Amino acid sequence: MRFNGGMSSDATSPDESPDPAAAGGSSTDGQDRGTLSDVANSLGISSAVALRALRGSDEIKPQLAGRVRETAERLRFPLEELSGETEHRGVVAVLVNTMRNTWISDLVRAIRIELATTGRTAVVVPTRRRIPEYPVAADTDAIEDLVRLGVDGFLMVSDLADMEHVLESTAGRPFVGIGCSKSFTGLFDTVRIDDEVGQGLLVDHLVGLGHREIAHVGGVGAAVARERADAFRSAMARHGLEETARVEPGDFTEQVGQTAGSMLLR
């Protein structure tokens, strides 16, 4: 796993501040600053409750809010970094093509858990148009509606079609792509697997066990699927097995995977 390349996580943009919920370490005067977890643990409450209290949420009783603020000041938590968040609603939109992919379902669950620890929530939005005229187009109208509703930012899981229009629709909100095509690296923040290294390790392992007829099921759908299929072919060619490298077309569904497996075993 590596950053800014294969598994990439582009650096924070110059105009973006680190999340105060994770802030900590040394301040400019060289003294250690407490983190949100330090504040929460000192009071026996969750980080989400502590963050809502520091933000002045009406859900938090004044007495508790006062105790949280006093503790934050005592532990030198960077309260000043919360001042610029008054316009934030604490809602992040997660854009997906489908929820039928179990990887996406698991990832969305993990995203919700992580956001909850900082007092934020996620709204999951399928963005693929369902009408015949737009078989692979992204529903940019839905994205624009989310902007009008005031979401703080977007997480894109895998690739969406019409990325140029998708980015225009986000109106400059923070945007991060997860598991997307390597062609988007540098265009916006990305977190992705190094498919070339991953496929190489898989093929190396199987060849090391003596296998020669090796197949890959995939290559259908988003650009990242085609990149993985190409990475498989390259790995096979490195072992001189390009003639036996077989890519059986398949998407993310179990039914298609079963069909592809049956075809390969004939």
Side-chain angles (χ1 to χ4, degrees), residues 182 195-196 199-200 203-204 227-242 245 247:
K182 63 182 180 181
D195 294 306
E196 288 79 8
Q199 290 282 24
V203 171
D204 289 349
E227 289 172 0
R228 289 173 186 151
D230 290 342
F232 164 73
R233 295 187 182 96
S234 296
M236 290 290 284
R238 181 161 48 82
H239 289 280
L241 299 174
E242 57 268 33
V247 175

Side-chain angles (χ1 to χ4, degrees), residues 139-196:
D139 191 348
T140 53
D141 291 341
I143 297 173
E144 291 172 355
D145 287 341
L146 291 167
V147 171
R148 284 191 287 270
L149 289 171
V151 297
D152 294 336
F154 294 89
L155 294 176
M156 177 186 73
V157 180
S158 192
D159 292 353
L160 298 180
D162 303 330
M163 278 305 304
E164 181 179 350
H165 295 110
V166 168
L167 292 175
E168 289 177 357
S169 301
T170 62
R173 293 288 201 282
F175 190 93
V176 178
I178 304 174
C180 57
S181 167
K182 63 182 180 181
S183 63
F184 298 135
T185 302
L187 183 61
F188 48 79
D189 291 341
T190 61
V191 181
R192 59 181 307 277
I193 296 169
D194 189 324
D195 294 306
E196 288 79 8

Side-chain angles (χ1 to χ4, degrees), residues 107-145:
L107 183 59
V108 167
R109 187 179 303 110
I111 289 171
R112 281 178 163 155
I113 292 172
E114 288 299 316
L115 288 175
T117 64
T118 61
R120 296 177 174 86
T121 57
V123 54
V124 182
V125 184
T127 54
R128 183 169 181 171
R129 292 186 185 271
R130 299 296 181 180
I131 55 180
E133 295 92 322
Y134 301 97
V136 295
D139 191 348
T140 53
D141 291 341
I143 297 173
E144 291 172 355
D145 287 341

Side-chain angles (χ1 to χ4, degrees), residues 32-35 38-40 42 70-78:
D32 289 341
R33 286 185 151 187
T35 65
D38 294 333
V39 175
S42 296
E70 289 173 2
T71 302
E73 292 173 349
R74 175 171 56 83
L75 296 176
R76 298 175 55 80
F77 176 77

Side-chain angles (χ1 to χ4, degrees), residues 245-262:
R246 180 173 175 182
V247 175
E248 186 67 28
D251 60 13
F252 48 79
T253 60
E254 293 182 3
Q255 181 179 3
V256 171
Q258 183 178 14
T259 301
S262 298

